Amino acid sequence: MEQKLYYWLHRLYMLGLKIAAKVLPISKPTLFIGKDALKQLCHSVSIMGIDKVLIVTDQGIVKLGFAKKLAFEFERVGVHSAIYSDVLPDPTYDQVEAGLAIYREQQCQGVVAIGGGSPIDCAKVIAAGATNNKPVRRLVGLLKVWKSPAPTFVIPTTSGTGSEVTVAAVVSDPKTHQKTPVMDPKLVPIAAALDPSLMLALPAPITAQTGMDALTHAIEAYISCNATAETDRYALAAITLIDENLEKAVKFGQNATARQNMALASYYAGLAFTKASLGYVHAIAHTLGAKYGTPHGLANAVVLPHVLEFSKCAAEANMAKLSTALNLTNQYTPDREKAQALIEYVKTLQKTLDLPSHFEHIRHEHVNELARQSLHEARWNYPVPRYMEQEQCEKLILAIAASTK
């Protein structure tokens, strides 16, 4: 009885979120795309009356020379900059506070992120902290950003997170290592630059993992109970672009067209899940990342086919539509077979991209805790097509922890 009551409360709450997504204004960033996108973004910042920006990035981007290039482009158009380059994977509250201190000391007027999801998420929270006089911990949650953040601009160097368009930023508690989302429509950046020239140096494994992250965003958004005609269009566009370009981007990293198309796919997938939300794949991937430091895109890639298998009985029709869109089956194939074809497509893509199908580092004594934390995250956040219970989640995690390949 208790489980049934919770189930219906969950469904009612998710319906409320769906209505809120339609009612709350969620802006889209101005998008610059192509080889001159970075220059166009810098020019756009300069004509907004912003004299100094904080560039938020990581040491990898600094070593590639991209942070210096960005600072030069800003100086060229009369905008000064300070650089905070100590962002680590899964940025913590401490890193946000450190960047915020530089923002205030240097009297910056805007924030520009360049890098993958971690610098972008960190930058978005720094921008929120710059105008909201409260610690990062109190920004965590839904609609806690009361005042509009400082002007925020992003330049992704990976194609996966979709952070350039989302209403969320994920930062970690340095004590518990738990990933905590800051979620508010005000976090959407003013503008984003998708410059394929900044992605050409991305290693093949990272290209594959971030591409699978984008694919997961699109698929989870499409089978979400909160999907709409609008989010379906974005999800289908993302999935089509990924199908046509991910393998090329992995095998031929200097293919600028494939890189640009993957960046656009990530953007579309971000638009899709911003309103339709995500599901159990992300809940489990976030938990694995917090517990073991498992790269997020890699975790998504491994977990995705298992969650699709679990969800198939409830999401069969939508999975069948995706199968048809990818030309995996013909119009006469039964939906059950179409849905299974989508799962096999994901598994085949895993192998093609040389990604693992299991994780050796998951310890069996942690499975109960991992399942509990995953379900806790999903409980009031994700409008999943099929509700998962503790025992089912444990079984799924044990399946990806198997030692056999």
Side-chain angles (χ1 to χ4, degrees):
M1 176 62 93
E2 184 180 345
Q3 285 293 341
K4 286 185 178 180
L5 177 62
Y6 166 72
Y7 172 84
W8 288 110
L9 285 173
H10 175 266
R11 287 301 187 211
L12 285 172
Y13 180 76
M14 290 305 157
L15 178 60
L17 289 184
K18 186 174 185 177
I19 294 170
K22 289 184 177 181
V23 174
L24 288 174
I26 300 177
S27 61
K28 297 182 181 71
T30 298
L31 188 63
F32 302 106
I33 186 166
K35 63 179 181 179
D36 292 323
L38 184 145
K39 293 180 179 180
Q40 291 172 346
L41 183 140
C42 291
H43 174 70
S44 179
V45 173
S46 74
I47 61 177
M48 291 183 184
I50 296 173
D51 297 321
K52 191 168 188 178
V53 297
L54 176 68
I55 296 173
V56 178
T57 190
D58 57 39
Q59 285 298 314
I61 296 299
V62 170
K63 290 176 182 177
L64 287 170
F66 293 160
K68 185 177 180 180
K69 177 181 179 180
L70 179 58
F72 172 80
E73 289 298 335
F74 271 126
E75 287 293 338
R76 195 176 61 82
V77 295
V79 178
H80 302 297
S81 62
I83 297 178
Y84 172 58
S85 59
D86 291 334
V87 180
L88 299 174
D90 302 323
T92 62
Y93 301 168
D94 295 343
Q95 291 168 45
V96 173
E97 295 290 358
L100 188 55
I102 296 174
Y103 180 95
R104 289 169 174 157
E105 288 168 5
Q106 295 293 320
Q107 298 182 322
C108 297
Q109 299 168 308
V111 180
V112 183
I114 180 168
S118 293
I120 294 174
D121 281 357
C122 188
K124 288 162 78 171
V125 184
I126 288 172
T131 56
N132 290 268
N133 189 26
K134 50 185 178 180
V136 175
R137 191 178 302 276
R138 290 180 57 200
L139 292 171
V140 169
L142 183 63
L143 303 177
K144 299 289 185 67
V145 183
W146 295 341
K147 295 182 180 179
S148 294
T152 310
F153 310 86
V154 298
I155 306 166
T157 58
T158 64
S159 300
T161 67
S163 295
E164 68 273 12
V165 71
T166 65
V167 300
V170 179
V171 287
S172 297
D173 186 317
K175 295 181 180 178
T176 66
H177 303 291
Q178 183 179 0
K179 293 187 177 185
T180 55
V182 180
M183 296 182 290
D184 197 294
K186 301 183 192 72
L187 289 179
V188 177
I190 292 175
L194 306 184
D195 189 334
S197 68
L198 301 178
M199 304 174 187
L200 300 178
L202 197 66
I206 306 301
T207 301
Q209 293 172 27
T210 54
M212 291 299 292
D213 189 14
L215 180 64
T216 304
H217 290 158
I219 291 178
E220 287 207 297
Y222 196 85
I223 67 173
S224 164
C225 289
N226 284 7
T228 65
E230 178 191 9
T231 62
D232 282 353
R233 286 193 294 271
Y234 288 131
L236 281 172
I239 290 167
T240 300
L241 285 169
I242 292 166
D243 179 56
E244 295 173 350
N245 294 277
L246 179 53
E247 188 176 350
K248 294 177 185 175
V250 171
K251 294 185 176 179
F252 310 101
Q254 295 298 308
N255 186 325
T257 300
R259 292 289 190 183
Q260 181 170 302
N261 286 336
M262 282 303 302
L264 191 58
S266 177
Y267 174 81
Y268 284 146
L271 288 175
F273 85 79
T274 289
K275 289 189 174 182
S277 195
L278 297 166
Y280 286 123
V281 180
H282 272 75
I284 296 170
H286 285 155
T287 302
L288 293 176
K291 186 69 174 180
Y292 302 114
T294 312
H296 180 64
L298 180 59
N300 278 339
V302 172
V303 175
L304 178 58
H306 295 269
V307 170
L308 288 177
E309 189 69 53
F310 170 81
S311 305
K312 185 172 59 175
C313 60
E316 183 179 280
N318 284 335
M319 290 172 64
K321 290 176 184 177
L322 290 180
S323 181
T324 299
L326 290 167
N327 296 313
L328 303 179
T329 54
N330 62 53
Q331 59 181 323
Y332 303 109
T333 305
D335 279 0
R336 180 179 297 180
E337 294 180 22
K338 288 181 179 180
Q340 189 60 43
L342 179 67
I343 297 171
E344 296 307 318
Y345 168 82
V346 173
K347 291 179 179 179
T348 300
L349 189 57
Q350 274 183 336
K351 293 178 182 178
T352 301
L353 300 178
D354 199 26
L355 294 171
S357 59
H358 300 84
F359 289 129
E360 302 291 343
H361 59 261
I362 296 177
R363 296 174 60 177
H364 284 214
E365 60 266 32
H366 294 160
V367 169
N368 178 275
E369 174 194 359
L370 293 169
R372 181 172 47 80
Q373 290 180 354
S374 298
L375 295 179
H376 177 75
E377 175 179 329
R379 186 158 292 137
W380 301 113
N381 290 307
Y382 303 143
V384 294
R386 183 188 176 195
Y387 175 67
M388 186 182 294
E389 297 183 6
Q390 176 73 19
E391 184 178 347
Q392 293 166 320
C393 194
E394 289 181 16
K395 183 178 179 181
L396 191 153
I397 294 172
L398 282 170
I400 63 170
S403 60
T404 55
K405 298 289 184 179

